[in-house]
Amino acid sequence: MNIKNITFQAVLIFGILTTISSCNGQNKSESLKTPEKAITIGKTVSELYEGTTVIYQDKKNNLWFGSKGAYKYDGKNLVLYTIKDGLVGSNILGIQEDKIGNLYFDTPQGVSKFDGQKFTTLEIIESDFSKNDWKLEPNDLWFRMGWNKNGPYRYDGKSLYYLEFPKTNQADEFYSKYPNASYNPYGIYTLYKDSKGTVWFGTSSLGVCRYDGKSISWLYERHLTETPEGGSFGIRSIIEDKDGYFWFCNTRYRYEILPNSIEKNGTRLINYKVENGIGYSNDNSEIDFPYFMSIVEDNNGDLWMASYEEGVWRNNGKELIHYPIKDGETDVLTFSIYKDNQGTLWLGTHNAGAYKFNGKTFEKFKP
């Protein structure tokens, strides 16, 4: 028998056993470690803030409410996210979702992206070049970031670009009339994308602006911006109905948008025709035309309008039907109206949380 071979085999076997024992010990040690807890953000709450003005339902059917922070309702729990959780600002102006399910929260301080786990703030590209680099891609998202900018922000999936509206003659007229105005007439009150992918902007005092991917054009009529009582309303809401007509701010007229814009005194204007809209008979047997803060089309093609102090109006093509909204004895100030993934209508309000339509009336939402 070869002594050297026996010694080598013994050493080899001992080494293998030692390695196996060491590995087993390591595995046992690792299995005894406490697993790391997933980082969770947000705070579970029992009710919405009274000033809940924005409502959105995501692809997973979670409901989101914009207020002093962002509320998420999954059908069971109501969770509030604030700047403590990574939101760039607490005043939510709008909520959108991209094609892969990321959510975006528009605030005066910036835009926050939520990937389901955390919030990040989008980087803003702002330069003389970017201000004039208007583009229109199908997956772009558009934001306003407050009410006092000279144009919108476009997000291409990577960066947020600040754009600037071209100068309009209506602005010169505004400043000649109000040289010490405390607000920007270009300020954006609403954003809307129509059936062709064209982007529309409702401004505080310069009417409607449209960008179709080729040019920027304007539509201004005094009755859209200023109420009969003399107040400044601005373009709060825009919609294209099922027949292709556009409605802006009130029901007095509907607009047929024609091809080919018009050049006038250096400003490009939208080419359109006006048709009579629909009103209601007031207490003095006069015809009134309600102004609205927000408008949506239901699954039957009827238009529903949130009018702030007068509840909700429904335009079925033949008449206006009124839905007063009360919270006890208090008139509810309706700010926005939204249609969810199932076709249900929701109201965002300034003073009473959110409301849901039950088929007959609007009921206060209680999680």
Side-chain angles (χ1 to χ4, degrees):
M1 180 179 291
N2 191 319
I3 299 299
K4 289 184 179 180
N5 286 342
I6 294 174
T7 304
F8 174 76
Q9 290 175 3
V11 171
L12 180 61
I13 291 170
F14 177 78
I16 292 172
L17 292 174
T18 303
T19 301
I20 293 172
S21 175
S22 174
C23 288
N24 286 338
Q26 184 177 0
N27 289 338
K28 287 179 181 179
S29 175
E30 287 181 353
S31 66
L32 293 174
K33 286 183 179 179
T34 303
E36 292 185 8
K37 291 183 178 180
I39 297 174
T40 58
I41 59 175
K43 176 183 178 183
T44 300
V45 295
S46 60
E47 60 184 3
L48 295 172
Y49 179 67
E50 60 183 14
T52 299
T53 55
V54 179
I55 301 172
Y56 181 80
Q57 189 173 39
D58 65 26
K59 292 181 174 68
K60 297 179 180 178
N61 290 328
N62 297 306
L63 282 164
W64 293 84
F65 302 91
S67 182
K68 296 296 183 183
Y71 293 80
K72 176 186 176 182
Y73 182 65
D74 62 4
K76 295 181 180 179
N77 299 308
L78 184 66
V79 178
L80 171 62
Y81 302 95
T82 68
I83 55 177
K84 294 179 180 179
D85 302 299
L87 272 173
V88 68
S90 59
N91 188 6
I92 308 299
L93 306 178
I95 305 172
Q96 299 181 63
E97 187 174 10
D98 66 20
K99 62 181 181 180
I100 60 174
N102 295 310
L103 291 163
Y104 298 83
F105 298 85
D106 192 353
T107 81
Q109 290 74 33
V111 176
S112 288
K113 174 183 175 181
F114 184 62
D115 62 5
Q117 299 295 324
K118 65 182 183 304
F119 290 93
T120 54
T121 302
L122 298 188
E123 177 188 359
I124 300 173
I125 307 298
E126 187 170 350
S127 66
D128 290 338
F129 174 77
S130 70
K131 289 178 182 179
N132 299 307
D133 189 27
W134 286 74
K135 294 179 181 178
L136 187 61
E137 301 295 339
N139 294 321
D140 286 346
L141 299 178
W142 296 78
F143 303 94
R144 52 190 175 121
M145 283 177 54
W147 307 268
N148 207 38
K149 305 290 194 304
N150 282 340
Y153 292 79
R154 181 182 68 87
Y155 181 62
D156 64 0
K158 296 181 180 179
S159 298
L160 192 63
Y161 297 91
Y162 174 60
L163 304 169
E164 195 167 83
F165 290 132
K167 184 180 178 182
T168 169
N169 293 329
Q170 195 61 40
D172 293 335
E173 184 177 327
F174 173 86
Y175 281 118
S176 66
K177 189 176 181 180
Y178 307 104
N180 299 315
S182 59
Y183 64 95
N184 188 344
Y186 288 97
I188 298 172
Y189 280 175
T190 189
L191 297 140
Y192 177 73
K193 186 174 285 191
D194 68 19
S195 61
K196 297 178 180 178
T198 297
V199 183
W200 298 73
F201 309 94
T203 70
S204 63
S205 297
L206 304 180
V208 181
C209 180
R210 179 190 69 179
Y211 177 56
D212 61 7
K214 297 179 181 178
S215 62
I216 299 167
S217 49
W218 298 84
L219 184 160
Y220 177 86
E221 289 189 3
R222 189 172 300 279
H223 80 93
L224 295 178
T225 297
E226 298 179 9
T227 65
E229 295 78 19
S232 179
F233 191 78
I235 307 297
R236 301 282 182 172
S237 193
I238 302 167
I239 197 170
E240 178 188 15
D241 68 20
K242 67 182 189 304
D243 298 316
Y245 290 95
F246 282 78
W247 300 78
F248 308 107
C249 291
N250 64 58
T251 65
R252 181 181 296 273
Y253 303 111
R254 65 180 189 175
Y255 294 77
E256 179 185 357
I257 304 302
L258 303 175
N260 303 323
S261 55
I262 303 168
E263 192 79 25
K264 186 177 179 180
N265 299 326
T267 298
R268 190 174 293 275
L269 304 177
I270 295 171
N271 191 13
Y272 63 93
K273 286 199 309 186
V274 177
E275 295 186 8
N276 288 328
I278 188 168
Y280 68 95
S281 181
N282 62 24
D283 294 337
N284 298 321
S285 297
E286 298 172 339
I287 301 299
D288 273 348
F289 303 92
Y291 281 74
F292 45 86
M293 302 288 292
S294 177
I295 185 170
V296 71
E297 187 177 69
D298 69 16
N299 288 347
N300 297 318
D302 292 355
L303 299 178
W304 296 72
M305 298 157 285
S307 66
Y308 198 65
E309 294 180 337
E310 296 181 352
V312 174
W313 292 91
R314 177 185 179 186
N315 178 359
N316 64 8
K318 298 178 180 179
E319 61 179 340
L320 291 181
I321 303 168
H322 190 214
Y323 295 80
I325 313 295
K326 292 265 190 183
D327 184 15
E329 297 298 318
T330 304
D331 289 331
V332 173
L333 304 177
T334 61
F335 190 83
S336 66
I337 189 162
Y338 175 76
K339 183 177 73 172
D340 70 17
N341 300 341
Q342 293 74 41
T344 302
L345 299 179
W346 293 78
L347 285 176
T349 80
H350 249 164
N351 63 338
Y355 280 70
K356 181 180 180 180
F357 190 61
N358 63 13
K360 295 182 178 180
T361 187
F362 286 90
E363 295 179 331
K364 190 164 186 175
F365 170 66
K366 297 179 180 180

